[in-house]
Amino acid sequence: MSRKLSPDERAAQLRELKDWQSAANRDAIERNIEFADFNEAFGFMTRVAIKAQEMDHHPEWFNVYNKVRITLSTHDANGITGRDVELARFIDSVVNRD
Amino acid sequence: MSRKLSPDERAAQLRELKDWQSAANRDAIERNIEFADFNEAFGFMTRVAIKAQEMDHHPEWFNVYNKVRITLSTHDANGITGRDVELARFIDSVVNRD
């Protein structure tokens, strides 16, 4: 099981994850991403799905057409862990590559 | 552009789509589906995504691990049209096949 990040660790990580915000009502981080169209949005989701399965760590996400909202949190730890940071970094690398 | 269903048409269609409910705050229909795991859930989403692209009619959906919540509505018509019914039937056929 992953360890929940300390407040200092969490703050330091979030400073580096510039495109992510703290969720309003829970200990989680969120990012909204807009793509050119549904094809790009779902292609992105497919890449993240494969990575998530490999990590056995899955996002919560909402999609409508070209928009994707992703929420990351670690249920077992009831908060943000290094695994959320790792998945967030992967997501950013996929988005920035386009 | 698809025509919004009349109240009678809408009621008749919804009687046949037994696993779908009217959304609470808007003219849309919703279905919650639970799969065995993330692999099955995202596999289902991939089949629906390909169909949606073919129809040029896309769902709003939320996924976390093995759960998928789908909302169908036709933005252009500001309500439910025959295209939502067609996509709902396709979704049901994929779910019932497993």
mmCIF file of all heavy atoms in Angstrom, chain B residues 24-59:
data_model
loop_
_atom_site.group_PDB
_atom_site.id
_atom_site.type_symbol
_atom_site.label_atom_id
_atom_site.label_comp_id
_atom_site.label_asym_id
_atom_site.label_seq_id
_atom_site.Cartn_x
_atom_site.Cartn_y
_atom_site.Cartn_z
ATOM 1 N N ALA B 24 -31.944 13.790 -13.559
ATOM 2 C CA ALA B 24 -32.676 14.584 -12.571
ATOM 3 C C ALA B 24 -32.913 16.022 -13.034
ATOM 4 O O ALA B 24 -34.023 16.540 -12.925
ATOM 5 C CB ALA B 24 -31.920 14.583 -11.248
ATOM 6 N N ASN B 25 -31.879 16.665 -13.544
ATOM 7 C CA ASN B 25 -31.961 18.121 -13.738
ATOM 8 C C ASN B 25 -31.971 18.582 -15.186
ATOM 9 O O ASN B 25 -31.790 19.759 -15.451
ATOM 10 C CB ASN B 25 -30.778 18.789 -13.024
ATOM 11 C CG ASN B 25 -30.761 18.430 -11.547
ATOM 12 O OD1 ASN B 25 -31.799 18.454 -10.906
ATOM 13 N ND2 ASN B 25 -29.597 18.074 -11.042
ATOM 14 N N ARG B 26 -32.128 17.647 -16.121
ATOM 15 C CA ARG B 26 -32.060 18.036 -17.530
ATOM 16 C C ARG B 26 -32.752 16.979 -18.370
ATOM 17 O O ARG B 26 -33.046 15.882 -17.892
ATOM 18 C CB ARG B 26 -30.598 18.179 -17.951
ATOM 19 C CG ARG B 26 -29.739 17.024 -17.471
ATOM 20 C CD ARG B 26 -28.283 17.305 -17.696
ATOM 21 N NE ARG B 26 -28.010 17.231 -19.103
ATOM 22 C CZ ARG B 26 -26.882 16.738 -19.621
ATOM 23 N NH1 ARG B 26 -25.937 16.294 -18.824
ATOM 24 N NH2 ARG B 26 -26.694 16.694 -20.911
ATOM 25 N N ASP B 27 -32.977 17.294 -19.629
ATOM 26 C CA ASP B 27 -33.646 16.355 -20.534
ATOM 27 C C ASP B 27 -32.603 15.399 -21.105
ATOM 28 O O ASP B 27 -32.034 15.639 -22.172
ATOM 29 C CB ASP B 27 -34.373 17.117 -21.644
ATOM 30 C CG ASP B 27 -35.338 16.199 -22.388
ATOM 31 O OD1 ASP B 27 -35.497 15.026 -21.972
ATOM 32 O OD2 ASP B 27 -35.933 16.652 -23.382
ATOM 33 N N ALA B 28 -32.366 14.318 -20.370
ATOM 34 C CA ALA B 28 -31.340 13.349 -20.748
ATOM 35 C C ALA B 28 -31.698 12.020 -20.104
ATOM 36 O O ALA B 28 -32.524 11.968 -19.193
ATOM 37 C CB ALA B 28 -29.966 13.817 -20.274
ATOM 38 N N ILE B 29 -31.078 10.952 -20.595
ATOM 39 C CA ILE B 29 -31.256 9.644 -19.960
ATOM 40 C C ILE B 29 -29.909 9.141 -19.463
ATOM 41 O O ILE B 29 -28.863 9.467 -20.027
ATOM 42 C CB ILE B 29 -31.913 8.613 -20.906
ATOM 43 C CG1 ILE B 29 -31.121 8.461 -22.217
ATOM 44 C CG2 ILE B 29 -33.356 9.007 -21.183
ATOM 45 C CD1 ILE B 29 -31.661 7.361 -23.132
ATOM 46 N N GLU B 30 -29.978 8.335 -18.402
ATOM 47 C CA GLU B 30 -28.754 7.878 -17.739
ATOM 48 C C GLU B 30 -28.809 6.384 -17.462
ATOM 49 O O GLU B 30 -29.872 5.832 -17.196
ATOM 50 C CB GLU B 30 -28.604 8.561 -16.375
ATOM 51 C CG GLU B 30 -28.307 10.020 -16.437
ATOM 52 C CD GLU B 30 -28.150 10.631 -15.050
ATOM 53 O OE1 GLU B 30 -28.701 10.059 -14.069
ATOM 54 O OE2 GLU B 30 -27.498 11.678 -14.953
ATOM 55 N N ARG B 31 -27.641 5.784 -17.480
ATOM 56 C CA ARG B 31 -27.537 4.396 -17.049
ATOM 57 C C ARG B 31 -26.234 4.209 -16.269
ATOM 58 O O ARG B 31 -25.182 4.676 -16.697
ATOM 59 C CB ARG B 31 -27.582 3.434 -18.251
ATOM 60 C CG ARG B 31 -27.467 1.988 -17.810
ATOM 61 C CD ARG B 31 -27.691 0.929 -18.862
ATOM 62 N NE ARG B 31 -27.537 -0.363 -18.183
ATOM 63 C CZ ARG B 31 -27.586 -1.554 -18.774
ATOM 64 N NH1 ARG B 31 -27.798 -1.642 -20.072
ATOM 65 N NH2 ARG B 31 -27.427 -2.666 -18.067
ATOM 66 N N ASN B 32 -26.314 3.494 -15.157
ATOM 67 C CA ASN B 32 -25.134 3.109 -14.381
ATOM 68 C C ASN B 32 -24.846 1.640 -14.640
ATOM 69 O O ASN B 32 -25.754 0.807 -14.554
ATOM 70 C CB ASN B 32 -25.389 3.307 -12.889
ATOM 71 C CG ASN B 32 -25.458 4.767 -12.515
ATOM 72 O OD1 ASN B 32 -24.461 5.477 -12.585
ATOM 73 N ND2 ASN B 32 -26.645 5.237 -12.154
ATOM 74 N N ILE B 33 -23.604 1.332 -14.940
ATOM 75 C CA ILE B 33 -23.235 -0.044 -15.232
ATOM 76 C C ILE B 33 -22.018 -0.425 -14.400
ATOM 77 O O ILE B 33 -21.076 0.375 -14.265
ATOM 78 C CB ILE B 33 -22.894 -0.231 -16.728
ATOM 79 C CG1 ILE B 33 -23.994 0.399 -17.602
ATOM 80 C CG2 ILE B 33 -22.750 -1.713 -17.072
ATOM 81 C CD1 ILE B 33 -23.633 0.455 -19.082
ATOM 82 N N GLU B 34 -22.071 -1.627 -13.857
ATOM 83 C CA GLU B 34 -20.939 -2.119 -13.066
ATOM 84 C C GLU B 34 -20.357 -3.351 -13.750
ATOM 85 O O GLU B 34 -21.090 -4.280 -14.097
ATOM 86 C CB GLU B 34 -21.423 -2.464 -11.654
ATOM 87 C CG GLU B 34 -20.318 -2.438 -10.648
ATOM 88 C CD GLU B 34 -20.826 -2.397 -9.213
ATOM 89 O OE1 GLU B 34 -21.777 -1.622 -8.926
ATOM 90 O OE2 GLU B 34 -20.282 -3.166 -8.395
ATOM 91 N N PHE B 35 -19.063 -3.332 -13.955
ATOM 92 C CA PHE B 35 -18.380 -4.444 -14.609
ATOM 93 C C PHE B 35 -17.549 -5.209 -13.587
ATOM 94 O O PHE B 35 -17.478 -4.826 -12.418
ATOM 95 C CB PHE B 35 -17.496 -3.908 -15.746
ATOM 96 C CG PHE B 35 -18.287 -3.252 -16.830
ATOM 97 C CD1 PHE B 35 -18.574 -1.893 -16.768
ATOM 98 C CD2 PHE B 35 -18.786 -3.983 -17.894
ATOM 99 C CE1 PHE B 35 -19.328 -1.277 -17.756
ATOM 100 C CE2 PHE B 35 -19.542 -3.376 -18.880
ATOM 101 C CZ PHE B 35 -19.813 -2.020 -18.813
ATOM 102 N N ALA B 36 -16.901 -6.283 -14.047
ATOM 103 C CA ALA B 36 -16.092 -7.089 -13.124
ATOM 104 C C ALA B 36 -14.864 -6.310 -12.653
ATOM 105 O O ALA B 36 -14.471 -6.399 -11.494
ATOM 106 C CB ALA B 36 -15.667 -8.389 -13.795
ATOM 107 N N ASP B 37 -14.279 -5.526 -13.553
ATOM 108 C CA ASP B 37 -13.046 -4.813 -13.220
ATOM 109 C C ASP B 37 -12.816 -3.690 -14.235
ATOM 110 O O ASP B 37 -13.657 -3.452 -15.111
ATOM 111 C CB ASP B 37 -11.851 -5.767 -13.181
ATOM 112 C CG ASP B 37 -11.736 -6.601 -14.461
ATOM 113 O OD1 ASP B 37 -12.186 -6.136 -15.523
ATOM 114 O OD2 ASP B 37 -11.193 -7.714 -14.383
ATOM 115 N N PHE B 38 -11.687 -3.004 -14.110
ATOM 116 C CA PHE B 38 -11.391 -1.878 -14.998
ATOM 117 C C PHE B 38 -11.215 -2.346 -16.439
ATOM 118 O O PHE B 38 -11.640 -1.666 -17.377
ATOM 119 C CB PHE B 38 -10.120 -1.165 -14.522
ATOM 120 C CG PHE B 38 -9.725 -0.002 -15.404
ATOM 121 C CD1 PHE B 38 -10.435 1.194 -15.360
ATOM 122 C CD2 PHE B 38 -8.650 -0.099 -16.275
ATOM 123 C CE1 PHE B 38 -10.082 2.265 -16.172
ATOM 124 C CE2 PHE B 38 -8.297 0.967 -17.087
ATOM 125 C CZ PHE B 38 -9.008 2.145 -17.039
ATOM 126 N N ASN B 39 -10.581 -3.482 -16.624
ATOM 127 C CA ASN B 39 -10.367 -3.996 -17.982
ATOM 128 C C ASN B 39 -11.699 -4.139 -18.714
ATOM 129 O O ASN B 39 -11.838 -3.699 -19.860
ATOM 130 C CB ASN B 39 -9.626 -5.340 -17.907
ATOM 131 C CG ASN B 39 -9.264 -5.881 -19.282
ATOM 132 O OD1 ASN B 39 -10.142 -6.073 -20.103
ATOM 133 N ND2 ASN B 39 -7.991 -6.125 -19.521
ATOM 134 N N GLU B 40 -12.675 -4.719 -18.052
ATOM 135 C CA GLU B 40 -13.987 -4.889 -18.694
ATOM 136 C C GLU B 40 -14.684 -3.549 -18.909
ATOM 137 O O GLU B 40 -15.313 -3.325 -19.940
ATOM 138 C CB GLU B 40 -14.891 -5.790 -17.845
ATOM 139 C CG GLU B 40 -14.629 -7.257 -18.062
ATOM 140 C CD GLU B 40 -15.775 -8.133 -17.579
ATOM 141 O OE1 GLU B 40 -16.878 -7.604 -17.308
ATOM 142 O OE2 GLU B 40 -15.561 -9.331 -17.452
ATOM 143 N N ALA B 41 -14.571 -2.661 -17.919
ATOM 144 C CA ALA B 41 -15.234 -1.356 -18.033
ATOM 145 C C ALA B 41 -14.661 -0.561 -19.203
ATOM 146 O O ALA B 41 -15.403 -0.010 -20.028
ATOM 147 C CB ALA B 41 -15.082 -0.573 -16.726
ATOM 148 N N PHE B 42 -13.323 -0.526 -19.296
ATOM 149 C CA PHE B 42 -12.736 0.279 -20.361
ATOM 150 C C PHE B 42 -12.868 -0.403 -21.719
ATOM 151 O O PHE B 42 -12.986 0.279 -22.746
ATOM 152 C CB PHE B 42 -11.264 0.625 -20.063
ATOM 153 C CG PHE B 42 -10.816 1.809 -20.866
ATOM 154 C CD1 PHE B 42 -11.149 3.092 -20.478
ATOM 155 C CD2 PHE B 42 -10.095 1.646 -22.040
ATOM 156 C CE1 PHE B 42 -10.780 4.196 -21.231
ATOM 157 C CE2 PHE B 42 -9.718 2.742 -22.803
ATOM 158 C CZ PHE B 42 -10.064 4.018 -22.400
ATOM 159 N N GLY B 43 -12.902 -1.715 -21.726
ATOM 160 C CA GLY B 43 -13.186 -2.427 -22.973
ATOM 161 C C GLY B 43 -14.564 -2.063 -23.511
ATOM 162 O O GLY B 43 -14.745 -1.795 -24.708
ATOM 163 N N PHE B 44 -15.535 -2.028 -22.609
ATOM 164 C CA PHE B 44 -16.888 -1.585 -22.969
ATOM 165 C C PHE B 44 -16.865 -0.149 -23.503
ATOM 166 O O PHE B 44 -17.445 0.161 -24.556
ATOM 167 C CB PHE B 44 -17.788 -1.689 -21.733
ATOM 168 C CG PHE B 44 -19.012 -0.834 -21.799
ATOM 169 C CD1 PHE B 44 -20.132 -1.251 -22.509
ATOM 170 C CD2 PHE B 44 -19.064 0.392 -21.148
ATOM 171 C CE1 PHE B 44 -21.256 -0.452 -22.589
ATOM 172 C CE2 PHE B 44 -20.186 1.198 -21.216
ATOM 173 C CZ PHE B 44 -21.281 0.771 -21.938
ATOM 174 N N MET B 45 -16.166 0.733 -22.792
ATOM 175 C CA MET B 45 -16.109 2.135 -23.220
ATOM 176 C C MET B 45 -15.491 2.256 -24.610
ATOM 177 O O MET B 45 -15.918 3.088 -25.416
ATOM 178 C CB MET B 45 -15.325 2.977 -22.208
ATOM 179 C CG MET B 45 -16.041 3.141 -20.882
ATOM 180 S SD MET B 45 -15.072 4.049 -19.626
ATOM 181 C CE MET B 45 -15.176 5.737 -20.248
ATOM 182 N N THR B 46 -14.517 1.433 -24.886
ATOM 183 C CA THR B 46 -13.868 1.484 -26.201
ATOM 184 C C THR B 46 -14.840 1.084 -27.298
ATOM 185 O O THR B 46 -14.901 1.725 -28.365
ATOM 186 C CB THR B 46 -12.617 0.578 -26.203
ATOM 187 O OG1 THR B 46 -11.749 0.995 -25.153
ATOM 188 C CG2 THR B 46 -11.883 0.653 -27.535
ATOM 189 N N ARG B 47 -15.642 0.059 -27.050
ATOM 190 C CA ARG B 47 -16.637 -0.338 -28.055
ATOM 191 C C ARG B 47 -17.650 0.790 -28.279
ATOM 192 O O ARG B 47 -18.042 1.082 -29.408
ATOM 193 C CB ARG B 47 -17.358 -1.618 -27.630
ATOM 194 C CG ARG B 47 -16.437 -2.835 -27.668
ATOM 195 C CD ARG B 47 -17.220 -4.119 -27.618
ATOM 196 N NE ARG B 47 -18.115 -4.253 -28.757
ATOM 197 C CZ ARG B 47 -19.044 -5.191 -28.870
ATOM 198 N NH1 ARG B 47 -19.200 -6.082 -27.906
ATOM 199 N NH2 ARG B 47 -19.828 -5.240 -29.927
ATOM 200 N N VAL B 48 -18.082 1.407 -27.199
ATOM 201 C CA VAL B 48 -19.058 2.500 -27.320
ATOM 202 C C VAL B 48 -18.421 3.708 -28.011
ATOM 203 O O VAL B 48 -19.066 4.380 -28.823
ATOM 204 C CB VAL B 48 -19.624 2.878 -25.936
ATOM 205 C CG1 VAL B 48 -20.524 4.106 -26.027
ATOM 206 C CG2 VAL B 48 -20.382 1.692 -25.337
ATOM 207 N N ALA B 49 -17.150 3.971 -27.716
ATOM 208 C CA ALA B 49 -16.462 5.121 -28.330
ATOM 209 C C ALA B 49 -16.406 4.971 -29.847
ATOM 210 O O ALA B 49 -16.627 5.942 -30.591
ATOM 211 C CB ALA B 49 -15.043 5.239 -27.765
ATOM 212 N N ILE B 50 -16.115 3.760 -30.311
ATOM 213 C CA ILE B 50 -16.030 3.538 -31.760
ATOM 214 C C ILE B 50 -17.401 3.721 -32.403
ATOM 215 O O ILE B 50 -17.544 4.348 -33.455
ATOM 216 C CB ILE B 50 -15.439 2.137 -32.041
ATOM 217 C CG1 ILE B 50 -13.981 2.088 -31.572
ATOM 218 C CG2 ILE B 50 -15.540 1.791 -33.526
ATOM 219 C CD1 ILE B 50 -13.375 0.697 -31.539
ATOM 220 N N LYS B 51 -18.427 3.203 -31.750
ATOM 221 C CA LYS B 51 -19.800 3.375 -32.258
ATOM 222 C C LYS B 51 -20.193 4.853 -32.257
ATOM 223 O O LYS B 51 -20.791 5.361 -33.217
ATOM 224 C CB LYS B 51 -20.775 2.570 -31.385
ATOM 225 C CG LYS B 51 -22.240 2.724 -31.756
ATOM 226 C CD LYS B 51 -22.543 2.022 -33.055
ATOM 227 C CE LYS B 51 -24.047 2.008 -33.335
ATOM 228 N NZ LYS B 51 -24.332 1.320 -34.618
ATOM 229 N N ALA B 52 -19.851 5.539 -31.170
ATOM 230 C CA ALA B 52 -20.213 6.954 -31.041
ATOM 231 C C ALA B 52 -19.560 7.777 -32.150
ATOM 232 O O ALA B 52 -20.191 8.674 -32.740
ATOM 233 C CB ALA B 52 -19.788 7.471 -29.663
ATOM 234 N N GLN B 53 -18.309 7.476 -32.434
ATOM 235 C CA GLN B 53 -17.600 8.208 -33.478
ATOM 236 C C GLN B 53 -18.252 7.947 -34.839
ATOM 237 O O GLN B 53 -18.428 8.867 -35.640
ATOM 238 C CB GLN B 53 -16.122 7.790 -33.484
ATOM 239 C CG GLN B 53 -15.254 8.643 -34.356
ATOM 240 C CD GLN B 53 -15.031 10.045 -33.793
ATOM 241 O OE1 GLN B 53 -15.573 10.417 -32.751
ATOM 242 N NE2 GLN B 53 -14.261 10.825 -34.503
ATOM 243 N N GLU B 54 -18.610 6.694 -35.072
ATOM 244 C CA GLU B 54 -19.283 6.309 -36.317
ATOM 245 C C GLU B 54 -20.610 7.074 -36.476
ATOM 246 O O GLU B 54 -20.958 7.506 -37.569
ATOM 247 C CB GLU B 54 -19.541 4.797 -36.257
ATOM 248 C CG GLU B 54 -20.213 4.172 -37.442
ATOM 249 C CD GLU B 54 -20.538 2.704 -37.122
ATOM 250 O OE1 GLU B 54 -19.608 1.877 -37.110
ATOM 251 O OE2 GLU B 54 -21.714 2.390 -36.856
ATOM 252 N N MET B 55 -21.330 7.219 -35.355
ATOM 253 C CA MET B 55 -22.622 7.927 -35.387
ATOM 254 C C MET B 55 -22.439 9.443 -35.349
ATOM 255 O O MET B 55 -23.406 10.189 -35.535
ATOM 256 C CB MET B 55 -23.476 7.538 -34.163
ATOM 257 C CG MET B 55 -23.988 6.120 -34.144
ATOM 258 S SD MET B 55 -24.935 5.813 -32.599
ATOM 259 C CE MET B 55 -26.336 6.951 -32.809
ATOM 260 N N ASP B 56 -21.228 9.894 -35.034
ATOM 261 C CA ASP B 56 -20.982 11.299 -34.704
ATOM 262 C C ASP B 56 -21.967 11.773 -33.634
ATOM 263 O O ASP B 56 -22.562 12.845 -33.711
ATOM 264 C CB ASP B 56 -21.052 12.197 -35.951
ATOM 265 C CG ASP B 56 -20.503 13.583 -35.660
ATOM 266 O OD1 ASP B 56 -19.714 13.724 -34.706
ATOM 267 O OD2 ASP B 56 -20.877 14.539 -36.380
ATOM 268 N N HIS B 57 -22.129 10.913 -32.626
ATOM 269 C CA HIS B 57 -23.028 11.227 -31.510
ATOM 270 C C HIS B 57 -22.390 10.619 -30.261
ATOM 271 O O HIS B 57 -22.286 9.394 -30.156
ATOM 272 C CB HIS B 57 -24.410 10.629 -31.765
ATOM 273 C CG HIS B 57 -25.409 11.058 -30.740
ATOM 274 N ND1 HIS B 57 -25.732 12.373 -30.536
ATOM 275 C CD2 HIS B 57 -26.137 10.349 -29.854
ATOM 276 C CE1 HIS B 57 -26.626 12.458 -29.576
ATOM 277 N NE2 HIS B 57 -26.889 11.250 -29.140
ATOM 278 N N HIS B 58 -21.965 11.496 -29.338
ATOM 279 C CA HIS B 58 -21.084 11.053 -28.262
ATOM 280 C C HIS B 58 -21.761 11.103 -26.897
ATOM 281 O O HIS B 58 -22.556 12.000 -26.634
ATOM 282 C CB HIS B 58 -19.829 11.917 -28.263
ATOM 283 C CG HIS B 58 -19.097 11.884 -29.579
ATOM 284 N ND1 HIS B 58 -19.419 12.728 -30.619
ATOM 285 C CD2 HIS B 58 -18.102 11.095 -30.048
ATOM 286 C CE1 HIS B 58 -18.638 12.466 -31.664
ATOM 287 N NE2 HIS B 58 -17.829 11.475 -31.341
ATOM 288 N N PRO B 59 -21.410 10.157 -26.043
ATOM 289 C CA PRO B 59 -21.983 10.161 -24.694
ATOM 290 C C PRO B 59 -21.259 11.137 -23.780
ATOM 291 O O PRO B 59 -20.140 11.570 -24.081
ATOM 292 C CB PRO B 59 -21.735 8.719 -24.226
ATOM 293 C CG PRO B 59 -20.435 8.363 -24.884
ATOM 294 C CD PRO B 59 -20.468 9.046 -26.239
#
